[in-house]
Amino acid sequence: MANANIITLNEANFKAEVLEAQVPVLVDFWAVWCGPCRMIAPLVEELAEEYKDRMKVGKLNVDEYQGLAAEYGIMSIPTLLLFKNGQVVTRLVGYQAKDKLVQVIEKYL
């Protein structure tokens, strides 16, 4: 992944990077073949850069980690979950405009 501020999530690091994080974590559940996932990717990268000092951003490939996707009820992608203190506080399904994402993030910082 090109952006150093985005964590590539997997079963081995999900607990430490997301559930035990001391800051909010935005997790992008995506897949390579998903057109809307590719459309939202630049926005996720921008947010990772803009909020790098106040939150974490991670991406989880649902094709590679179907168990984790199922655990969080991911039925369609892209789905963005915002975690705070190890709990899901917001679920956004489908493509989202940047202003909507910023509004949601600001609410939990």
Side-chain angles (χ1 to χ4, degrees), residues 28-42 59 77-79:
D28 178 12
F29 289 83
W30 69 285
V32 174
W33 50 264
C34 168
C37 297
R38 289 193 303 269
M39 289 173 51
I40 203 169
K59 291 179 73 84
I77 51 174
T79 293

Side-chain angles (χ1 to χ4, degrees), residues 4-100:
N5 296 314
I6 295 180
I7 303 158
T8 300
L9 296 168
N10 57 50
E11 290 163 347
N13 71 1
F14 195 87
K15 182 179 179 186
E17 295 288 1
V18 178
L19 302 180
E20 297 174 349
Q22 301 301 308
V23 295
V25 184
L26 182 68
V27 178
D28 178 12
F29 289 83
W30 69 285
V32 174
W33 50 264
C34 168
C37 297
R38 289 193 303 269
M39 289 173 51
I40 203 169
L43 295 179
V44 172
E45 290 186 15
E46 285 178 36
L47 294 169
E49 180 62 31
E50 291 170 19
Y51 288 96
K52 67 183 176 191
D53 298 326
R54 300 193 290 160
M55 76 172 203
K56 292 180 172 184
V57 175
K59 291 179 73 84
L60 186 121
N61 185 323
V62 297
D63 286 336
E64 293 178 21
Y65 302 102
Q66 294 175 3
L68 270 174
E71 188 176 331
Y72 288 97
I74 305 304
M75 302 293 224
S76 61
I77 51 174
T79 293
L80 299 168
L81 298 184
L82 185 63
F83 288 79
K84 186 167 186 179
N85 300 319
Q87 301 295 314
V88 176
V89 293
T90 297
R91 174 183 299 263
L92 299 166
V93 179
Y95 180 84
Q96 306 291 320
K98 185 176 179 184
D99 60 339
K100 166 76 174 187

Side-chain angles (χ1 to χ4, degrees), residues 82 90 92 99-109:
L82 185 63
T90 297
L92 299 166
D99 60 339
K100 166 76 174 187
L101 294 170
V102 167
Q103 179 184 359
V104 168
I105 290 166
E106 289 290 336
K107 182 177 176 182
Y108 291 101
L109 288 179

